[in-house]
Amino acid sequence: MRHGIRRIGVCSALAAGTLALAPTAGAVSPTTATISFDCGIYGSGSATLTATQNGTAATINVSTSAITAPIQVGANSVKSTLTLTKGTSTVTFTGSSNPTIPAGSPVSTGPLSGTVASGDSLQAKSLKVVVMGITATCNATTAQSPGPFVF
């Protein structure tokens, strides 16, 4: 009987040690930032970016007044690519998830998914949105505020 109790104790200790070493969900900071975009003939305006992180997986939701829907746009029909700078390189977040967007309303898209490493510092640079086969490319005209997302 004593050996059975000792094995349970050893197994419990090993399990607890394994859980302590498991990677935890990261905490991106800030979680929300704003930026201004120029989308050429499609308009210009500000965007709110909301970031979340779970380990190396990250998502960013985008809500912008820079692009408005000319007609009602169905759910999950906007394809988006958000490009962020990381030093001298770039990282992209992509997705095709969106709520139904009424005609004349600002475009919201996301979550856009990407992969990050601990300590990555990412600043939004451009947003490409494809709505009903029409591509609008928006370039940042201001720095992201507050500063870059740090994952």
Side-chain angles (χ1 to χ4, degrees):
M1 190 73 161
R2 278 188 172 176
H3 294 291
I5 291 172
R6 193 172 292 159
R7 283 187 198 148
I8 291 172
V10 170
C11 289
S12 295
L14 288 174
T18 301
L19 288 175
L21 297 175
T24 59
V28 60
S29 179
T31 56
T32 302
T34 57
I35 191 166
S36 292
F37 284 113
D38 179 4
C39 305
I41 62 170
Y42 299 105
S44 61
S46 64
T48 300
L49 310 174
T50 305
T52 60
Q53 178 184 3
N54 186 2
T56 60
T59 61
I60 298 177
N61 286 293
V62 180
S63 179
T64 181
S65 62
I67 304 171
T68 56
I71 62 173
Q72 182 169 314
V73 176
N76 304 318
S77 62
V78 175
K79 294 180 183 172
S80 303
T81 302
L82 179 66
T83 301
L84 301 104
T85 58
K86 175 182 162 184
T88 58
S89 62
T90 60
V91 175
T92 57
F93 281 65
T94 60
S96 58
S97 179
N98 62 278
T100 298
I101 305 169
S105 295
V107 171
S108 292
T109 186
L112 306 179
S113 301
T115 302
V116 296
S118 180
D120 276 356
S121 180
L122 305 178
Q123 172 96 4
K125 175 183 176 180
S126 65
L127 174 66
K128 181 173 95 174
V129 179
V130 180
V131 180
M132 298 169 17
I134 299 170
T135 302
T137 300
C138 305
N139 293 303
T141 57
T142 63
Q144 186 176 305
S145 178
F149 292 119
V150 178
F151 292 91

